[in-house]
Amino acid sequence: GGLSPVLGDPVTPSANGNHSRSSSSSSRPPAPSSGLSSRANSSQLRTARSTEGAALAAATAAFGGLGVGSVHNPSQDLIYVKLPADIADRHVLLMDPVLSTGNSACRAIEVLLEHRVQEEKIFLLSIIAAPEGISRVCSRFPTLRVVTSEIDSYINANYAVIPGCGEFGDRYFCD
C-alpha cells in the first residue's frame, strides 16, 4: 500500500500565494552590517533571519547518542547508549541518514521509549528513506513523525536503498 503518514503537500508562503509581511521589528531581516552582503535580496535576508530560531533552540539543546549494531538483524543489539538525564522532558531529533528497513530506527525508538520519552516527541530525521523503512517505523510508532528529504524506490535483497547513495558513512567521511 501507500504511505499514509503523508497528509498533504507542503505549504509555504510561495505555494499558497500568501506573501504578506509583518510590520513588527522582529520580522525584519538583519541589516547588511550584520555580516550579510549588501547585495543580498530580501528573500535571501529573510531566509538568513529564519535560522535564528534554530540557533536559539540549539543553544539549549542536549546531545546524546545511540549505537545500534547488526543492521539487518531485527533484534538489533545496542552497542552504545548515552542520553541526557532529562531526555524524558525533551523533544528528540533521532537522526538516521539512510532509513532502509527501519529495523535500527525502531530499536533506537524503543530505547527512547524505555527512557520515558513520549512517542509524539520523537522526530526521526533521514536524508534518504525507503518506503519499506517508513512503513515499518510508522506502523509500529503511529504518533512519531518521520522527516526525510527523499523517498527512494525500494530496498534490494542486500538491504540497500535503490537508487540510494551508496554507503553513507563512506560518502560522508570521503572514504
Side-chain angles (χ1 to χ4, degrees):
L3 300 176
S4 60
V6 178
L7 299 176
D9 293 328
V11 177
T12 64
S14 309
N16 67 13
N18 178 3
H19 296 283
S20 65
R21 293 185 187 189
S22 170
S23 60
S24 74
S25 62
S26 65
S27 68
R28 290 188 195 133
S33 62
S34 66
L36 295 173
S37 165
S38 61
R39 294 185 294 174
N41 67 37
S42 63
S43 178
Q44 290 167 323
L45 293 174
R46 283 192 307 271
T47 299
R49 180 67 186 250
S50 71
T51 61
E52 285 181 354
L56 291 172
T60 61
F63 295 88
L66 286 167
V68 180
S70 186
V71 269
H72 308 302
N73 179 352
S75 69
Q76 300 297 319
D77 294 333
L78 281 177
I79 56 176
Y80 178 81
V81 178
K82 182 172 179 160
L83 301 172
D86 63 347
I87 193 155
D89 301 326
R90 296 181 174 274
H91 283 83
V92 175
L93 303 178
L94 177 61
M95 298 178 199
D96 186 356
V98 179
L99 180 63
S100 176
T101 63
N103 288 336
S104 58
C106 285
R107 183 63 182 114
I109 294 162
E110 289 169 359
V111 171
L112 293 171
L113 295 174
E114 290 165 7
H115 283 81
R116 303 191 192 284
V117 176
Q118 295 172 15
E119 184 178 310
E120 59 274 4
K121 288 187 170 185
I122 302 171
F123 296 80
L124 175 59
L125 310 177
S126 73
I127 297 170
I128 297 173
E132 297 90 338
I134 295 170
S135 180
R136 177 169 282 122
V137 170
C138 291
S139 65
R140 287 198 51 203
F141 307 102
T143 61
L144 171 138
R145 292 180 210 124
V146 175
V147 180
T148 187
S149 63
E150 181 175 332
I151 300 174
D152 277 2
S153 299
Y154 64 97
I155 54 175
N156 68 14
N158 296 319
Y159 307 104
V161 177
I162 303 299
C165 67
E167 180 57 47
F168 181 80
D170 292 347
R171 295 213 183 266
Y172 184 79
F173 293 104
C174 301
D175 286 347

